[in-house]
Amino acid sequence: MLAMRIASRVARTAIRARTPPALRSRTITTTAAVCTELGAPLTVRDDWTLAAPGPGEVLVETRAAGLNFAEVLQTKGLYQERLEPPFVPGNECSGTVEAVGAGVAHVKAGDAVIALPRGGAWARHCVVSGAAVAPLPKPPSSDAEWRQAASLAVAYGTADMALRRRARMSEGETVLITAAAGGVGLAAVELAAQAGCNVIAATGSPEKAEIALAAGAAAAVSYGDDPRAFREHVKELAPGGVDVAVDMVWLRCGI
């Protein structure tokens, strides 16, 4: 029994030595942008409380967070997964690992990472499943690089899911992408162009068309007010038809 008590005391000492002071109380107080009422502006609070990371979880000190359409819908109560206030939005971020729970071995304190917390990223700290945390190849050297890292996972992950896993696009195919100047749209344009596809970008304005063309689209077409004109323009650009369409605006033009 004495040996067990000594071993337990040694283990507790080792845990305290590895654990930041903020975690020893099993809760973390941080600053967060909180949705306290659906459809209302967010409230910045300095007393937002998080549970300390448990087994398989990671505490990330946030450096930048992404803003996607999903967060806009969540704060209005219109997203497919309805959240009840109060809650902290934000589904992707970049930052530095502050602590890890038991069983997490692929990242450690001090590592620069990207994370998909599925809510909670718009705060100074967030607790994320270790499976949703990935180390960056090298630490960002500027705020701009932290922001770029934070906006990577949702847009490019969604585009990759659509193009590679669902549509199984192949080199040489013609790919039509709507909302091509948005986050997911631009990611889809880049991925399809890099895969050797003929990318047609559909946008709502000439300015947005230029953005999509700069990202790698071979041609751009405007929605306009006439669905038939849009359809004919696409047919001119792709006489053999479109092999893959990634539609994020629910076009009804009979392509």
Side-chain angles (χ1 to χ4, degrees):
M1 290 295 295
L2 178 60
M4 292 179 62
R5 286 197 297 270
I6 293 174
S8 177
R9 188 161 57 246
V10 171
R12 288 196 301 271
T13 301
I15 291 172
R16 285 196 295 270
R18 294 196 305 267
T19 305
L23 297 185
R24 294 175 190 167
S25 63
R26 298 187 61 79
T27 60
I28 304 125
T29 301
T30 190
T31 302
V34 183
C35 178
T36 57
E37 179 184 352
L38 296 176
L42 302 184
T43 300
V44 177
R45 287 177 46 177
D46 295 322
D47 60 349
W48 188 253
T49 302
L50 299 173
E57 294 182 329
V58 178
L59 174 65
V60 177
E61 182 181 11
T62 307
R63 293 293 302 269
L67 169 58
N68 300 285
F69 193 47
E71 285 92 359
V72 176
L73 294 177
Q74 285 174 338
T75 57
K76 294 181 177 181
L78 301 176
Y79 194 59
Q80 56 197 16
E81 297 175 357
R82 184 181 174 92
L83 301 176
E84 295 300 330
F87 65 88
V88 177
N91 297 306
E92 63 179 345
C93 65
S94 63
T96 304
V97 174
E98 191 164 304
V100 300
V104 176
H106 67 294
V107 293
K108 63 184 184 303
D111 284 352
V113 297
I114 57 174
L116 287 166
R118 292 186 62 81
W122 294 1
R124 295 290 185 187
H125 298 83
C126 60
V127 176
V128 192
S129 167
V133 177
L136 291 169
K138 64 177 182 178
S141 59
S142 66
D143 289 341
E145 289 187 357
W146 282 110
R147 291 193 293 268
Q148 289 174 344
S151 62
L152 177 69
V154 169
Y156 284 86
T158 303
D160 183 76
M161 172 71 76
L163 292 169
R164 301 185 192 278
R165 300 189 187 184
R166 300 291 294 180
R168 300 184 184 277
M169 70 174 180
S170 301
E171 182 179 359
E173 289 186 325
T174 296
V175 180
L176 173 66
I177 300 169
T178 67
V184 176
L186 277 176
V189 168
E190 290 184 6
L191 292 178
Q194 291 174 3
C197 295
N198 175 43
V199 180
I200 301 174
T203 65
S205 70
E207 293 78 13
K208 291 180 178 180
E210 290 299 321
I211 294 173
L213 290 169
V221 57
S222 174
Y223 306 132
D225 298 322
D226 186 350
R228 291 174 296 180
F230 174 80
R231 180 175 65 244
E232 293 305 316
H233 196 174
V234 172
K235 287 183 176 180
E236 292 174 4
L237 295 172
V242 171
D243 299 296
V244 175
V246 181
D247 181 15
M248 286 163 283
V249 295
W250 202 26
L251 285 177
R252 292 184 175 182
C253 54
I255 294 176

